[in-house]
């Protein structure tokens, strides 16, 4: 397979540069004209808001929040909201563009967006988080909308934040509008299967990739970095398919067991322990860095971006990397991983199960109807398998890695739609 030289290696890449490098490489292969290139590369809207919040001790703290709409060419923009101290405009821009490419890869009628607030949700009370979420929603009344821009959970947010968001938005419009946000609790119009959807998509794409690589799940081992929404569901579903999960981790550290971690026990422990693995006794404590370079067949980075970089790529021993997180591999590390012959199922394909079931949630809200879990799972599994095959075919047609192939499939779809619609 051919490979395109990445940009000169710098000390530190940021996620936006990594995304742009891959976009550029795929656009060159596709021979995208200059006008379409310019349109697709630039976010269509970037919003920065300052949100003064009264904390529980009575003091006011100002939080900076962002929403970036990268594209609405394929339909209303879609993308999660992240609460994390590391949130920056550059990061949100990259994540918004990834949403455009992700929706296009799985062929759902959405553009891409992302939002974030720089905060530490683990140190905030429920009341503070509610006030922050409502203030952010208030600042985005004109941006959000079921036909305009539809948020969802991401790192540091979950169904409760989505419920507050829906309520605040609905109050402003004088009626319940549950299609404004996805990832809601079931009773508020959430979809069966949404909570585990991203992890399930990771499992489905891992199994298809293993089949292509002639790896037997029952004889394969795995490590999962990050044990939040994506990581814990991916781990348990992969364990159910026969893989032995030797290592798991979260922000407090990593846990390793040569006989396999009991994932259900780890999930119960995390739930009883304020959603962290700190003190988990089902494995020996190792560092997150050791986990990434451990002796396993399948590595699932499911925590955050830029964890596989030029610093550690050379030491990775897995045969297959399935990217549960967005942007876990830097563009410069791509080259090293590729030359080592490691197969990568890229983020915009591997973690697209979440947005696919978000789309189903929105469809159900608009229909005023509920699908069964079986229907949701069957349809999302099919969409992911079809997308995988399309990307795999592009690796053959264009002689490129899965990463560049996924961008080719996505950019081709958005560019064709843009050119058919014309400039408006
Ligand atoms: P989450 O907040 O539920 O979980 C994140 C997990 O990563 C937590 O266990 C946290 O402790 C851990 N973590 C944080 N920093 C870490 C570090 N340095 N080392 C190891 N672990 C660390 O978030 P999530 O929703 O599971 O999202 C994880 C990733 O998946 C993000 O990149 C997100 O953008 C992506 N993603 C999420 C969804 C979704 O539906 N939730 C969909 C697509 C992609």
């Amino acid at each position: 397979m051919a490979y395109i030289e990445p940009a000169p290696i710098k000390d530190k890449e940021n996620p936006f540069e990594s995304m742009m490098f891959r976009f550029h490489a795929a656009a060159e292969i596709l021979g995208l004209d200059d006008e379409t290139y310019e349109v697709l590369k630039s976010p269509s809207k970037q919003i920065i808001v300052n949100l003064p919040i009264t904390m529980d001790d009575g003091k006011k703290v100002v939080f900076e929040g962002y929403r970036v709409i990268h594209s609405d060419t394929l339909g209303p923009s879609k993308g999660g909201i992240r609460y994390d101290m590391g949130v920056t405009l550059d990061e949100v821009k990259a994540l918004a563009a990834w949403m455009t490419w992700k929706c296009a890869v799985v062929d759902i009628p959405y553009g891409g967006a992302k939002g974030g607030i720089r905060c530490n949700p683990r140190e905030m009370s429920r009341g503070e988080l509610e006030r922050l979420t409502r203030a952010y929603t208030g600042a985005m009344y004109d941006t959000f909308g079921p036909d305009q821009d539809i948020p969802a959970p991401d790192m540091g947010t979950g169904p409760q934040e989505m419920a507050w968001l829906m309520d605040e938005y609905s109050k402003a419009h004088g009626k319940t509008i549950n299609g404004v946000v996805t990832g809601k609790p079931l009773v508020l119009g959430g979809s069966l299967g949404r909570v585990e959807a991203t992890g399930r998509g990771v499992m489905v794409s891992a199994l298809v990739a293993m089949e292509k690589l002639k790896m037997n799940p029952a004889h394969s081992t795995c490590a999962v970095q990050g044990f939040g929404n994506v990581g814990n569901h991916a781990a348990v579903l992969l364990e159910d398919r026969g893989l032995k999960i030797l290592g798991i981790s979260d922000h407090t550290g990593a846990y390793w067991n040569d006989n396999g971690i009991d994932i259900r026990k780890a999930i119960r422990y995390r739930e009883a322990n304020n959603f962290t693995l700190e003190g988990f006794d089902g494995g020996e404590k190792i560092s997150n860095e050791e986990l990434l370079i451990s002796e396993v067949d399948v590595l699932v980075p499911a925590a955050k971006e830029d964890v596989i970089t030029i610093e550690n790529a050379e030491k990775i021993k897995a045969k297959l990397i399935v990217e549960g997180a967005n942007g876990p591999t830097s563009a410069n590390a791509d080259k090293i991983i590729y030359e080592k012959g490691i197969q990568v199922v890229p983020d915009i394909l591997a973690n697209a199960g979440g947005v696919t079931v978000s789309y189903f949630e929105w469809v159900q809200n608009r229909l005023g109807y509920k699908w069964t879990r079986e229907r949701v799972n069957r349809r999302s599994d099919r969409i992911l398998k079809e997308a995988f095959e399309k990307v795999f075919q592009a690796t053959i047609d264009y002689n490129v890695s899965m990463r560049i192939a996924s961008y080719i499939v996505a950019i081709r779809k958005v560019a064709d739609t843009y050119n058919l619609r014309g400039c408006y």
Side-chain angles (χ1 to χ4, degrees):
M1 285 192 271
Y3 194 80
I4 307 108
E5 274 299 308
I9 288 175
K10 295 191 286 181
D11 292 347
K12 182 99 185 93
E13 286 171 70
N14 70 36
F16 188 69
E17 288 169 332
S18 284
M19 188 280 299
M20 279 313 296
F21 169 72
R22 286 133 178 183
F23 169 75
H24 183 79
E28 286 232 310
I29 294 170
L30 279 172
L32 209 65
D33 64 86
D34 291 348
E35 181 202 312
T36 316
Y37 181 92
E38 280 305 313
V39 171
L40 299 196
K41 92 166 199 218
S42 327
S44 62
K45 199 176 190 183
Q46 303 178 52
I47 305 163
I48 305 178
V49 288
N50 284 314
L51 307 165
I53 303 298
T54 308
M55 306 305 275
D56 289 349
D57 63 6
K59 292 204 179 100
K60 282 226 161 37
V61 175
V62 180
F63 293 89
E64 191 159 285
Y66 310 93
R67 186 76 182 164
V68 173
I69 315 284
H70 175 259
S71 165
D72 57 3
T73 298
L74 297 185
S77 50
K78 186 87 188 84
I81 300 171
R82 175 173 291 196
Y83 287 0
D84 187 71
M85 284 309 286
V87 167
T88 62
L89 183 61
D90 248 9
E91 180 187 64
V92 179
K93 269 163 68 182
L95 291 163
W98 274 320
M99 286 304 298
T100 302
W101 313 135
K102 194 181 299 187
C103 294
V105 165
V106 284
D107 204 7
I108 57 178
Y110 283 147
K114 204 80 182 187
I117 303 177
R118 195 174 315 122
C119 65
N120 186 348
R122 281 187 285 267
E123 283 181 1
M124 293 172 72
S125 70
R126 183 182 163 87
E128 289 166 345
L129 285 170
E130 175 169 358
R131 293 193 286 282
L132 182 63
T133 306
R134 289 187 186 276
Y136 179 73
T137 309
M140 300 292 165
Y141 281 147
D142 295 337
T143 303
F144 293 159
D147 295 310
Q148 233 172 294
D149 179 39
I150 309 149
D154 189 68
M155 233 168 93
T157 61
Q160 178 60 75
E161 285 75 16
M162 302 307 114
W164 290 325
L165 193 157
M166 183 206 102
D167 183 65
E168 190 67 24
Y169 183 85
S170 295
K171 274 197 310 208
H173 290 80
K175 58 183 174 184
T176 297
I177 306 176
N178 56 11
V180 69
V181 63
T182 62
K184 297 178 292 290
L186 269 183
V187 287
L188 297 185
S191 177
L192 285 163
R194 173 61 185 94
V195 174
E196 62 272 33
T198 309
R200 186 176 174 90
V202 169
M203 176 273 288
V204 168
S205 45
L207 290 194
V208 180
M210 291 176 81
E211 202 180 312
K212 303 256 182 232
L213 294 171
K214 307 215 178 331
M215 291 165 71
N216 181 348
H219 297 144
S220 300
T221 56
C222 177
V224 180
Q225 186 202 34
F227 208 62
N229 176 278
V230 181
N232 86 68
H233 288 110
V236 80
L237 290 166
L238 287 167
E239 185 186 49
D240 286 349
R241 301 304 183 284
L243 282 94
K244 197 185 273 188
I245 317 295
L246 298 181
I248 55 173
S249 74
D250 72 0
H251 65 284
T252 67
Y255 302 84
W256 182 268
N257 187 331
D258 285 331
N259 298 317
I261 303 259
D262 178 343
I263 299 298
R264 283 186 170 78
K265 180 178 162 187
I267 291 174
R268 283 195 300 274
Y269 182 87
R270 173 182 175 266
E271 278 167 7
N273 196 39
N274 201 20
F275 296 96
T276 81
L277 289 170
E278 180 90 83
F280 178 59
D281 65 0
E284 173 201 340
K285 185 125 188 225
I286 59 170
S287 69
N288 254 298
E289 195 48 38
E290 286 172 299
L291 181 97
L292 289 172
I293 59 170
S294 61
E295 195 81 54
V296 286
D297 300 310
V298 183
L299 177 65
V300 179
K304 52 193 289 198
E305 61 271 9
D306 268 340
V307 293
I308 301 175
T309 64
I310 50 171
E311 306 289 328
N312 60 6
E314 198 57 63
K315 297 184 227 152
I316 291 195
K317 301 185 190 74
K319 300 184 188 80
L320 171 65
I321 299 174
V322 186
E323 295 183 334
N326 286 310
T329 311
S330 74
N332 286 325
D334 270 356
K335 182 175 194 291
I336 303 168
I337 298 284
Y338 182 82
E339 283 171 356
K340 282 172 68 82
I342 300 171
Q343 180 68 269
V344 178
V345 186
D347 47 8
I348 60 172
L349 173 60
N351 70 34
V355 75
T356 302
V357 178
S358 271
Y359 166 57
F360 293 165
E361 180 175 332
W362 179 79
V363 169
Q364 291 170 75
N365 292 159
R366 297 176 79 103
L367 287 172
Y369 187 69
K370 263 194 174 310
W371 295 355
T372 61
R373 188 184 302 276
E374 290 66 35
R375 173 178 281 197
V376 169
N377 287 347
R378 192 175 61 245
R379 291 187 173 186
S380 67
D381 290 359
R382 191 184 64 218
I383 285 181
L384 283 171
K385 284 179 190 163
E386 282 172 6
F388 192 108
E389 291 302 338
K390 214 186 296 173
V391 171
F392 195 76
Q393 187 57 43
T395 64
I396 298 163
D397 296 345
Y398 292 93
N399 199 19
V400 290
S401 65
M402 285 277 284
R403 167 100 55 214
I404 299 298
S406 63
Y407 277 74
I408 287 177
V409 168
I411 292 170
R412 198 171 47 194
K413 161 103 186 168
V414 182
D416 287 351
T417 310
Y418 172 77
N419 286 318
L420 280 168
R421 287 181 70 159
C423 207
Y424 63 93

